[in-house]
Amino acid sequence: MFSTLGIKSMAKALRQALSARKVELSHSDCLELIARQFGMKDWNELAAALGQKAADKPLVFSIAGEEMKLHRTTEKLDVNDTDLSGSTFNDANLSGSTFNQINFSGARFNDSNMSGWYVNDVNLSGSRFQNINLSGVAFSKCRLTGATLDGVPLEDIVELYKGTRNSYGESTA
C-alpha cells in the first residue's frame, strides 16, 4: 500500500540524492519521474490511483531496483505464488501466520521465538539445529534415519529405550 505522503517522501529523497550528484530537479519533476516508475503517465494519475483516503496512511513499501522493502506496518499480507528467495526478515512478528507449500530450503532462523509451532508433513532432511530449546516438544510418526542427537543416532537411542521397557511401559532395569 502506498500513500500520497509516502510518494511525496520518495520524491523528496530522490531530489536530495540527485542534488548530491549535482543534478537539480524540482519536487514536481521528481513526482512525475516516480509516477512513471509506477507505470502512470503523470503525478495526477498516480495520486488519483492512490485515492483520497490513502493520504493519511503510512508508506508500507519502498522499491529500489529489483528490491522491495516493507517498513513498519501492521497490515496483514496475503502472499501467493511469490518468489521471496533471498529476502530478509528482521524484528518481524509472524505469530499466527500460516505457511502452506513453502520452500524454506537454505533458510536460516536466528534468535527466533518458535514456541507453539505446529509442524506437519514437513521435510527437514539435512537441517541443522543448534542451541535449541526443545522443552515440551513432542515428536510422533517421524522418520529418524540418519538423525543424531549430540552425535548419537536417534534410531539407536529409541531402540535402546524400547529394549529397557516391558509391554506395560515399565523399566526392565
Side-chain angles (χ1 to χ4, degrees):
M1 164 191 343
F2 292 95
S3 71
T4 54
L5 290 177
I7 299 299
K8 287 178 180 180
S9 295
M10 290 171 70
K12 181 178 179 181
L14 175 61
R15 185 174 185 203
Q16 289 171 344
L18 290 172
S19 179
R21 291 169 177 79
K22 308 290 186 236
V23 176
E24 298 300 327
L25 288 178
S26 69
H27 183 70
S28 296
D29 288 337
C30 290
L31 285 171
E32 298 295 323
L33 288 171
I34 290 172
R36 299 281 304 261
Q37 291 297 308
F38 284 101
M40 304 292 177
K41 70 177 184 171
D42 59 28
W43 163 246
N44 291 331
E45 185 177 320
L46 177 58
L50 292 172
Q52 294 299 321
K53 289 186 178 184
D56 59 350
K57 293 182 180 176
L59 175 65
V60 177
F61 293 101
S62 63
I63 300 173
E66 298 273 328
E67 185 174 298
M68 181 187 320
K69 293 184 179 182
L70 176 65
H71 301 276
R72 292 177 226 96
T73 183
T74 57
E75 301 293 323
K76 296 201 182 334
L77 298 176
D78 188 1
V79 181
N80 293 290
D81 194 22
T82 303
D83 181 355
L84 295 175
S85 57
S87 296
T88 302
F89 297 87
N90 292 309
D91 195 23
N93 181 355
L94 297 175
S95 61
S97 297
T98 301
F99 299 93
N100 296 307
Q101 298 176 351
I102 303 297
N103 179 355
F104 280 120
S105 61
R108 294 177 177 263
F109 297 88
N110 297 304
D111 192 23
S112 299
N113 179 355
M114 296 179 173
S115 60
W117 265 34
Y118 176 79
V119 181
N120 180 51
D121 195 21
V122 173
N123 181 355
L124 294 173
S125 62
S127 298
R128 291 181 56 98
F129 297 90
Q130 296 175 306
N131 302 317
I132 305 295
N133 179 352
L134 294 175
S135 302
V137 173
F139 296 95
S140 61
K141 300 179 185 174
C142 297
R143 187 180 331 155
L144 300 175
T145 307
T148 62
L149 177 62
D150 291 332
V152 180
L154 287 178
E155 291 173 295
D156 294 353
I157 295 170
V158 171
E159 286 304 313
L160 181 62
Y161 174 80
K162 286 179 180 178
T164 63
R165 300 283 173 194
N166 63 23
S167 60
Y168 299 105
E170 297 168 341
S171 175
T172 58

